[in-house]
Amino acid sequence: MEDRFSRRDLLRIFGAGAAVSSASYFSLNQKAYADLAETKGAKRGTVYDGKDAVPCQIKDGKIFRPAADVPTIESTDVLVLGAGPAGCCAAIAAARAGVKVLLVERYNHFGGLATGGLVLTILGHWTKGKVQVCQGLGEEMMQRLEKMPYGIAGRDPGRNPAVDAEAYKYLLLEMITEAGVNVYLHSWATDAIVDGNVVKGAVIQTKLGPKAILAKQVIDTTGDGDIFASAGVVFDRRDYHIGLPHRLADFPDLKGKKKPRNYGGFTPIENIRWVNMGGKTTDGLDAKILSDLEIEYRKKIWADYIKLRSEPGFENVKMIETAPQLGVRITRVLKGVVELTVKGVYENQTFEDCVGIGGAWHGDHQGWQIPLRALLPEKTENLLTAGRTISSEPRMSDLIRVIPNCWVSGQGAGCAAACAVEQNTTVRNVDIKKVQTLLKKQNVYFG
């Protein structure tokens, strides 16, 4: 259409040295502007009078939240809250088992710290003798990433490969939609819905207010145990080190030269490296602490970057990205029916309700069994957890929280929840043999 104007037109008209003012431009193009407003502008919707709002109130110097109905927007068989490595595997595994699954995630993407946190190295899936114990969905993901442009690199026996965050985000999207999982992004899981000692679903916070989702089985993979904490189960709150990774590009050829401190690890994209950060040990649930760390870390990362560029030969190094998600590693840990220990790992402890095998990280040791009971609270029903929050002593945190082991516990939780739905029972009373048979069909490794 001749009367249409483009963004380029606006830049040309409004740029320095433009001969026509914005007022005269629009006066000369009233029809085009009217057409644009009609086709692309905001349209008036429903006008609300504010009578339905339920704001917090102040009474006697105290702030309280009035009681209000929470509308139910969905009902599902299995509700997975949190779409990190454990949550994605739980959702895909349950959906492939044939039950209805809904996955909730607070960010705009899948993968949690493995993508948004730029934790790009896959480690923890090997054990002594280069035995890969992480199979199932985790191995499928790595194989599919191999077929994607710059999806994964370093897939050699006994080696820890690295993935590209954007490729992995897309792969998870692909696998979740292929499985038919219903998804709510931009939604923060806040509260468990409990009837007696049975969890019946969860409340999510959205821009339209709190909404309720009902479910036969609920899996808390928020990473922070937000839902099991709100359900009133017993848990351990732990401080742990929190970091903030970033990516750098265009390093010079360093063959035979000393590598800088923040050289980082390799990625699938040539000459782009990711730099991890150990960070301070502190409370990963305190919003003020997290806010202060974000500011401190980003200042430090930029200062280190500028210092690196000042060194001879590194003038062309470029800052590509700082992780949009702060690297919170451990906060709440469930007090489950069984607690995993380092002693149990080295003593080859076995469990009848094993749902997968975890791998090594520090040292070259054997695999360790993950029992279903480590995913279950002591008393509350129809609630599981997976990933870094499963029941364990503090020394087990570094093994439990790494990505492949989160894949394994997540797939175990998803299959257990699906079997409980099919058997119309609680996960605590599920036929574990059927759960293990389903997991084996999904290529999970049992030794």
Side-chain angles (χ1 to χ4, degrees):
M1 182 183 295
E2 292 182 355
D3 293 348
R4 290 284 184 206
F5 57 89
S6 67
R7 186 166 180 264
R8 182 176 296 177
D9 295 327
L10 288 174
L11 293 174
R12 176 175 54 82
I13 295 298
F14 297 154
V20 184
S21 69
S22 60
S24 62
Y25 178 81
F26 283 117
S27 67
L28 293 171
N29 292 273
Q30 288 180 354
K31 183 178 185 301
Y33 185 67
D35 288 346
L36 182 71
E38 178 65 26
T39 58
K40 296 183 180 179
K43 292 182 173 63
R44 185 184 296 278
T46 303
V47 177
Y48 290 88
D49 58 13
K51 293 180 180 179
D52 294 332
V54 188
C56 292
Q57 305 288 329
I58 299 178
K59 184 176 181 181
D60 298 328
K62 296 181 179 180
I63 300 171
F64 68 96
R65 188 191 302 273
D69 292 337
V70 178
T72 300
I73 56 171
E74 297 277 358
S75 181
T76 189
D77 291 329
V78 176
L79 173 60
V80 182
L81 301 158
C88 288
C89 283
I92 295 167
R96 288 184 179 183
V99 299
K100 185 179 178 182
V101 181
L102 193 152
L103 176 62
V104 173
E105 169 56 39
R106 63 172 167 160
Y107 292 108
N108 68 343
H109 60 272
F110 304 114
L113 291 181
T115 55
L118 293 183
V119 182
L120 305 183
T121 299
I122 305 300
L123 54 84
H125 57 306
W126 298 103
T127 60
K128 192 173 183 178
K130 296 184 179 180
V131 177
Q132 184 179 331
V133 294
C134 174
Q135 299 284 336
L137 287 173
E139 172 61 17
E140 179 184 335
M141 289 174 184
M142 289 187 283
Q143 288 183 7
R144 291 177 66 158
L145 282 167
E146 285 184 305
K147 299 176 182 178
M148 298 174 65
Y150 307 104
I152 192 170
R155 279 271 284 162
D156 299 319
R159 188 181 181 191
N160 298 322
V163 303
D164 177 70
E166 295 305 317
Y168 191 27
K169 283 178 188 176
Y170 182 76
L171 173 64
L172 290 172
L173 181 152
E174 198 172 58
M175 293 179 69
I176 286 164
T177 54
E178 284 173 359
V181 176
N182 190 11
V183 172
Y184 273 73
L185 299 171
H186 307 284
S187 304
W188 196 299
T190 58
D191 298 282
I193 300 170
V194 181
D195 184 9
N197 74 326
V198 181
V199 174
K200 297 286 189 177
V203 174
I204 62 173
Q205 186 64 40
T206 75
K207 285 292 185 179
L208 293 176
K211 308 293 181 183
I213 300 173
L214 300 178
K216 296 174 183 176
Q217 299 292 334
V218 175
I219 305 176
D220 182 346
T221 47
T222 59
D224 295 312
D226 294 331
I227 298 306
F228 68 62
S230 75
V233 307
V234 180
F235 64 89
D236 187 11
R237 183 168 170 175
R238 300 172 183 169
D239 289 355
Y240 206 76
H241 49 109
I242 298 171
L244 185 66
H246 63 281
R247 292 196 294 174
L248 297 172
D250 293 344
F251 281 92
D253 185 355
L254 295 177
K255 291 181 179 179
K257 299 179 182 178
K258 184 179 178 181
K259 296 177 181 178
R261 179 179 57 82
N262 55 345
Y263 184 58
F266 73 95
T267 75
I269 302 177
E270 186 178 0
N271 213 20
I272 292 182
R273 303 187 68 83
W274 80 283
V275 184
N276 201 3
M277 178 192 286
K280 295 182 176 179
T281 297
T282 187
D283 184 357
L285 298 176
D286 189 306
K288 180 55 177 171
I289 290 175
L290 297 178
S291 300
D292 291 344
L293 285 181
E294 286 274 8
I295 294 170
E296 176 185 343
Y297 288 172
R298 291 182 186 279
K299 285 183 176 180
K300 174 176 172 46
I301 289 170
W302 192 258
D304 287 348
Y305 167 60
I306 296 301
K307 181 179 179 181
L308 177 64
R309 282 177 53 90
S310 69
E311 296 181 14
F314 294 89
E315 298 88 347
N316 294 322
V317 173
K318 299 176 181 63
M319 175 68 70
I320 300 299
E321 178 185 24
T322 54
Q325 292 178 225
L326 194 63
V328 177
R329 293 174 170 98
I330 292 288
T331 52
R332 299 187 186 99
V333 174
L334 179 73
K335 180 66 168 66
V337 181
V338 169
E339 183 180 69
L340 293 172
T341 66
V342 171
K343 180 180 178 182
V345 171
Y346 285 100
E347 292 182 351
N348 288 309
Q349 187 175 13
T350 60
F351 303 96
E352 291 184 356
D353 59 338
C354 173
V355 293
I357 307 294
W361 178 17
H362 296 307
D364 184 17
H365 60 75
Q366 66 274 21
W368 43 281
Q369 292 191 355
I370 302 173
L372 179 59
R373 287 169 294 166
L375 282 56
L376 300 178
E378 292 178 311
K379 297 178 182 179
T380 304
E381 303 294 354
N382 294 351
L383 175 64
L384 306 88
T385 194
R388 70 191 192 204
T389 50
I390 69 174
S391 182
S392 67
E393 67 172 0
R395 292 192 304 159
M396 280 292 292
S397 294
D398 273 340
L399 280 176
I400 283 173
R401 68 180 178 82
V402 294
I403 292 166
N405 295 331
C406 289
W407 286 338
V408 174
S409 64
Q411 189 166 4
C415 286
C419 285
V421 170
E422 292 294 337
Q423 296 170 28
N424 193 28
T425 188
T426 64
V427 175
R428 197 180 312 276
N429 295 317
V430 75
D431 185 338
I432 190 61
K433 297 298 182 185
K434 291 185 178 180
V435 175
Q436 291 167 340
T437 297
L438 175 58
L439 286 164
K440 289 175 183 177
K441 286 182 180 178
Q442 294 191 4
N443 299 315
V444 170
Y445 177 84
F446 281 88

